[in-house]
Amino acid sequence: MLEACASRTDGREGEGERHVRSDEIAAGLAEVDARIAAACHAVGRDRGEVTLIAVTKTRPAEDVRILCELGVRDIGENRDQEAAPKAHELAGLPLTWHFVGQLQTNKVRSVVGYADVIHSVDRLRLVEAISKEAVRQGRRIGCLVQVALDDDPARGGARPGDVLALADEVALAEGVWLGGVMAVAPLGEEPAKAFARLRDLALRLQEQHPRATMISAGMSDDLAEAVAYGATHVRIGTALLGRRKPFVR
Ligand SMILES: *Cc1c(COP(=O)(O)O)cnc(C)c1O
């Protein structure tokens, strides 16, 4: 076991259940790893070009700790109310925290307190708020510009036509660094087609910002398509950790 990820409760009660869960997650991880490797192989990419972000929303902190023990270093969360306590509880672990959900400006103070990278930057007001708060807290936060690939910002993301200007704003802002782009495949379109547009946009962005090479795309059902179109970061929940309970209001 990796010492840096060790739980305070190791060797105490609940150990049997924990082993079962650990085996389950290890199996999910092996399967996801194999899918990523196959997707890379299919298009002649090196496996090392793709980082797995384990999306742990709705999962207990203990799952994150197990992932850490299994060697996963990148964790994604989408709701501040849930992510903040988890990230603070696990603050000593060698993890990079990715905030991947829609972000209201009134949550920025909290999110900047634990997130290393925010994938859902989609408007100037948000850039300004993240920058101001990062400076105040003495942090440097990675920002990905989220793209609404269906040109409808309702579900989060900037219109494709606004992405390059927004990226320029991130690049100029203090306390943040421009990582690249992020997208969720739109409903009702083949993911491959949408991810092809994302890649074109990412390449145009890189002409102006050569170091902003991150392309965050691909979830459990469409990771192969995302890898085929250049994803550097895939965000995987279900395939790794099992089905989530339906969201209850
Ligand atoms: C939940 C979520 C994921 C992971 O989705 P799965 O289908 O469970 O793999 C990825 N990205 C975002 C933005 C999410 O909210």
Side-chain angles (χ1 to χ4, degrees):
M1 176 193 299
L2 263 150
E3 204 54 48
C5 307
S7 160
R8 284 181 304 272
T9 57
D10 286 342
R12 295 197 219 146
E13 83 280 10
E15 257 224 294
E17 278 165 53
R18 192 173 193 282
H19 280 304
V20 171
R21 185 60 180 146
S22 183
D23 287 350
E24 269 172 19
I25 295 177
L29 181 59
E31 202 177 302
V32 167
D33 259 332
R35 285 177 61 196
I36 296 172
C40 287
H41 183 76
V43 294
R45 293 185 67 193
D46 194 297
R47 169 66 183 86
E49 293 174 23
V50 180
T51 299
L52 166 64
I53 299 174
V55 177
T56 53
K57 63 190 186 202
T58 78
R59 306 291 176 183
E62 201 53 30
D63 276 11
V64 179
R65 200 184 288 280
I66 290 168
L67 284 161
C68 181
E69 288 170 9
L70 294 169
V72 173
R73 289 292 172 268
D74 291 87
I75 300 297
E77 286 281 341
N78 75 332
R79 290 177 67 235
D80 176 59
Q81 299 93 305
E82 187 192 336
K86 235 185 269 184
H88 288 298
E89 177 181 341
L90 301 174
L93 271 54
L95 296 172
T96 298
W97 289 86
H98 299 259
F99 190 86
V100 302
Q102 276 185 272
L103 181 53
Q104 305 303 319
T105 46
N106 65 351
K107 303 285 188 201
V108 164
R109 176 162 294 191
S110 172
V111 170
V112 165
Y114 58 87
D116 300 290
V117 185
I118 298 175
H119 290 227
S120 45
V121 176
D122 61 0
R123 55 200 191 278
L124 184 56
R125 286 246 312 129
L126 194 52
V127 176
E128 290 166 350
I130 295 168
S131 169
K132 185 172 162 211
E133 196 52 38
V135 169
R136 197 186 72 86
Q137 297 188 30
R139 304 204 68 216
R140 270 196 98 225
I141 308 293
C143 288
L144 305 189
V145 177
Q146 184 179 347
V147 185
L149 288 171
D150 53 4
D151 208 31
D152 175 8
R155 292 196 308 148
R159 288 201 149 87
D162 295 333
V163 167
L164 297 179
L166 196 55
D168 290 344
E169 297 291 347
V170 174
L172 288 171
E174 280 182 81
V176 297
W177 53 274
L178 176 66
V181 294
M182 177 272 213
V184 177
L187 302 167
E189 185 186 8
E190 271 176 53
K193 278 186 156 176
F195 291 147
R197 292 200 299 281
L198 181 66
R199 182 176 65 178
D200 289 345
L201 196 50
L203 293 177
R204 283 207 283 146
L205 186 149
Q206 284 171 39
E207 286 171 16
Q208 299 302 315
H209 307 283
R211 291 191 305 183
T213 55
M214 293 172 69
I215 301 179
S216 167
M219 311 189 353
S220 290
D221 291 336
D222 54 25
L223 81 83
E225 290 89 340
V227 167
Y229 288 95
T232 62
H233 291 70
V234 292
R235 309 178 308 267
I236 311 296
T238 310
L240 201 53
L241 300 167
R243 292 214 165 279
R244 291 178 290 273
K245 293 204 177 75
F247 184 70
V248 185
R249 273 170 208 283

